[in-house]
Amino acid sequence: MPKKSTPVSTVEASEPEHRGLDRYDIKILDELQRDGRLTNAELASRVGLSAAPCWRRVRRLETEGYIDGYHASVNRQKIGLGVVAFVRLFAERNTGQVTDEIKRQILALPQVLSCHHISGEGSFEIVVVHTDLEAYARFVREVLINLPHIKDLRTSFSLGEVKNLRQLPLDHLR
């Protein structure tokens, strides 16, 4: 006999995902954000667990999507990416189909570090890196302004990075 599905209450459905995290999970997330190269033994020692339970927790945090990857932080200036531009893209129309098409196009551009679908003036805000102003201008003329459904764009340039946290704050979880 097929099992009946139990309806999820609206209270359960609106609960934040992080409710299942305990103090050890939060410590693990905090330590791995500081140093993703920690060995399991080092991590276990820092969070106050033995190695096996710590390893199981890390695997669960990965499986459940709390940890979505491990990355090296590369110095963009050292590799010749001196220009950072904040670009607001204006779509001709803001329908679901148009928005999805613009998203697909932006995802294919390696020069775009981040993209946000925004409210207010404009449709998307992207962060672009390039080697120099001339190369960035060519990228705008040849690529960005020619994206399907884009009618205009506005650019602001970074004059210097003040803060770029790669660690998310976790205090609200404690």
Side-chain angles (χ1 to χ4, degrees):
M1 193 161 140
K3 188 176 180 180
K4 290 185 180 179
S5 63
T6 308
V8 177
S9 77
T10 55
V11 174
E12 291 173 344
S14 66
E15 293 259 336
E17 284 190 47
H18 65 268
R19 292 263 194 243
L21 298 178
D22 65 15
R23 65 187 175 105
Y24 293 109
D25 295 330
I26 295 166
K27 283 182 181 180
I28 288 169
L29 293 174
D30 193 40
E31 290 297 333
L32 287 176
Q33 282 192 118
R34 290 175 208 266
D35 184 357
R37 297 179 65 176
L38 287 174
T39 65
N40 185 58
E42 290 172 307
L43 179 61
S45 172
R46 289 186 186 188
V47 301
L49 291 171
S50 60
C54 183
W55 182 85
R56 284 192 297 272
R57 283 173 178 268
V58 170
R59 293 296 166 251
R60 180 182 56 79
L61 291 167
E62 291 170 346
T63 301
E64 292 178 4
Y66 290 100
I67 298 172
D68 59 16
Y70 298 89
H71 313 278
S73 178
V74 178
N75 182 316
R76 70 177 170 76
Q77 285 97 353
K78 290 275 189 186
I79 62 167
L81 295 173
V83 172
V84 177
F86 303 93
V87 185
R88 184 153 296 186
L89 299 174
F90 295 79
E92 295 168 341
R93 296 185 60 209
N94 283 310
T95 66
Q97 186 176 358
V98 166
T99 298
D100 289 345
E101 176 62 23
I102 293 170
K103 286 179 187 178
R104 279 192 294 280
Q105 295 293 320
I106 290 170
L107 284 170
L109 300 173
Q111 301 88 343
V112 177
L113 297 186
S114 68
C115 173
H116 294 268
H117 187 207
I118 59 172
S119 65
E121 190 179 354
S123 303
F124 292 91
E125 183 91 15
I126 62 176
V127 176
V128 175
V129 291
H130 232 297
T131 54
D132 55 44
L133 285 175
E134 185 179 323
Y136 172 76
R138 196 169 40 256
F139 177 68
V140 168
R141 286 190 312 271
E142 295 173 4
V143 178
L144 286 183
I145 201 64
N146 293 312
L147 289 174
H149 311 291
I150 297 299
K151 70 175 179 181
D152 198 10
L153 60 85
R154 294 195 186 120
T155 301
S156 297
F157 293 100
S158 172
L159 299 177
E161 190 169 79
V162 176
K163 182 177 182 179
N164 183 2
L165 276 185
R166 292 179 175 93
Q167 292 177 238
L168 296 174
L170 301 176
D171 293 341
H172 68 287
L173 299 175
R174 292 183 170 90

